Amino acid sequence: MSSAPILNASHPLADIETPCLVLDEDRMLHNIARLKTRLSRLGVPLRPHLKTAKSIPAARAVMDGPGGPAAVSTLQEAELFAAAGVKDILYAVGIAPQKLDRVAALRRQGVDLSVVLDSMKQAAAVTTMARMTNDRIPVLIEIDCDGHRAGVGARDPLLVEIGRALHQGGAKLRGVMAHAGESYSCRSVAALEQAAEQERAAAVACAETLRAAALPCPVVSVGSTPTAHFARRFDGVTEVRAGVFVMFDLVMAGIGVCTVEDIALSVLATVIGHRADRGWTFVDAGWMALSRDRGTAKQPIDQGYGIVCDIDGRPYPDLIVTETNQEHGIIARRPGSTVPQVTLPVGTKVRILPNHACATGAQHDRYHVVATGSGSVRQWERFRGW
């Protein structure tokens, strides 16, 4: 049986109250540089999706400039980022008619906020608001590129109907957008490349259909973290969206988009007890800190509720969070493991890598930011809510 000492009291995370969210700034910056370099080589700009970061400092690290461009998943994000100076924002969730007052308010403040839709009812609501406010609200039509979620099919006559309703009704038809959600189910490089090309081809085909109908389509927006990293070309695409790549997580590692060592986000927890007869170690981070996300359960390697690392973020061999209660996590060896049991004394601090960075981040209101060469821990506030 091997043992781990109680963490060094001089470590910058030693006195941080647990559980809390830790962000490795070096890894984050490396992840950002990696994707930006790749997209630059392929000749397409990035519109970072800020739904994972939900933080002003993190957004500034990934955006090309203080004004954007950016994508968001909630109008609260749009409002808070706009207040911080971000002016080019895509609200990348299908618009609910009742939210158009908030859209109009942001646009009155000088924010170039565009919305997404895939139905005539939504189009009618947007054009009504556009006429009421004398503001040509910009719209991207969502494209269904893989049957994963919402969107209009490339051959669906509804595409042109929606486009014409927007263009003639007082809104601004800005273009089309697609999200290859099925890429999260890919298990090989070939499958990821195919998902990326399917996404690109569907969006470009829809843009060409609109243009053939004498409708404008200046923007062709595609993106997911897997396809952004595996697309071999972006012909006809004007921007790529991706979000979780900033932090990465175990789902992305399981797909093969990153390695475990690239994951910048973790939950700091403290060992609070043991059940030696069952090989269990208890920590003070349950599903309220880690989230209930079990995104790796369908992958070849099930990571439970997260991989357990030492205070510096180095994984212990085959040690995962196998179960969670509200405020308790149970650490144990991965089922079937033959590695020696690691003994973590009460008081030891560990870092747990998450299955899903967005879901785990949503449990916390701030990052505790660590960086190489820094003896201190900074705090960055996060957004929560809608």
Side-chain angles (χ1 to χ4, degrees), residues 137-194:
I137 299 170
V139 178
L140 273 68
I141 302 175
E142 185 169 5
I143 304 307
D144 177 10
C145 65
D146 57 10
H148 178 77
R149 201 164 55 191
V152 181
R155 295 182 177 84
D156 192 333
L158 183 60
L159 174 67
V160 172
E161 290 179 34
I162 293 173
R164 189 166 286 121
L166 293 167
H167 185 59
Q168 297 177 352
K172 178 182 290 185
L173 177 56
R174 180 162 282 177
V176 296
M177 62 89 74
H179 171 68
E182 280 299 295
S183 64
Y184 283 64
S185 301
C186 292
R187 297 292 179 265
S188 69
V189 170
L192 285 162
E193 291 178 345
Q194 181 179 359

Side-chain angles (χ1 to χ4, degrees), residues 15-304:
D15 297 324
I16 303 296
E17 189 171 331
T18 59
C20 69
L21 192 65
V22 175
L23 175 60
D24 185 317
E25 188 176 16
D26 296 333
R27 292 186 182 188
M28 180 191 75
L29 294 175
H30 175 268
N31 296 338
I32 292 169
R34 173 190 169 195
L35 182 58
K36 284 193 169 184
T37 298
R38 184 175 198 280
L39 295 181
S40 178
R41 286 201 310 267
L42 292 171
V44 63
L46 172 68
R47 179 182 289 272
H49 204 314
L50 305 180
K51 66 174 183 174
T52 305
K54 289 183 184 279
S55 159
I56 300 298
R60 287 175 176 154
V62 69
M63 291 188 304
D64 285 338
V72 299
S73 61
T74 72
L75 283 176
Q76 186 201 58
E77 291 169 41
E79 290 159 353
L80 292 171
F81 284 123
V86 183
K87 298 302 182 185
D88 179 358
I89 302 176
L90 168 63
Y91 174 39
V93 175
I95 187 65
Q98 296 84 352
K99 295 180 180 180
L100 284 168
D101 284 341
R102 293 170 71 185
V103 171
L106 279 166
R107 291 188 55 78
R108 283 195 298 271
Q109 297 167 26
V111 179
D112 184 14
L113 178 66
S114 53
V115 300
V116 169
L117 56 80
D118 66 353
S119 73
M120 290 294 290
K121 191 163 187 176
Q122 290 168 300
V126 170
T127 54
T128 297
M129 179 62 72
R131 290 191 299 270
M132 285 175 54
T133 58
N134 196 30
D135 175 20
R136 294 180 65 83
I137 299 170
V139 178
L140 273 68
I141 302 175
E142 185 169 5
I143 304 307
D144 177 10
C145 65
D146 57 10
H148 178 77
R149 201 164 55 191
V152 181
R155 295 182 177 84
D156 192 333
L158 183 60
L159 174 67
V160 172
E161 290 179 34
I162 293 173
R164 189 166 286 121
L166 293 167
H167 185 59
Q168 297 177 352
K172 178 182 290 185
L173 177 56
R174 180 162 282 177
V176 296
M177 62 89 74
H179 171 68
E182 280 299 295
S183 64
Y184 283 64
S185 301
C186 292
R187 297 292 179 265
S188 69
V189 170
L192 285 162
E193 291 178 345
Q194 181 179 359
E197 176 56 20
Q198 182 174 317
E199 177 186 49
R200 184 204 70 82
V204 171
C206 287
E208 292 173 348
T209 296
L210 290 170
R211 292 165 187 155
L215 294 169
C217 189
V219 173
V220 181
S221 180
V222 302
S224 70
T225 285
T227 56
H229 285 81
F230 282 88
R232 301 183 69 178
R233 63 185 184 126
F234 285 109
D235 303 20
V237 170
T238 64
E239 65 179 28
V240 171
R241 306 179 322 281
V244 77
F245 77 96
V246 174
M247 312 296 180
F248 279 131
D249 54 29
L250 292 172
V251 167
M252 289 295 107
I255 294 170
V257 180
C258 68
T259 68
V260 168
E261 290 71 27
D262 293 321
I263 299 173
L265 201 67
S266 60
V267 172
L268 186 70
T270 303
V271 174
I272 57 174
H274 304 87
R275 276 289 302 267
D277 60 321
R278 297 191 178 185
W280 289 353
T281 297
F282 299 107
V283 291
D284 61 351
W287 54 258
M288 285 289 286
L290 300 172
S291 89
R292 286 189 179 276
D293 195 287
R294 291 280 286 105
T296 61
K298 295 181 180 179
Q299 293 185 334
I301 300 177
D302 184 353
Q303 306 288 13

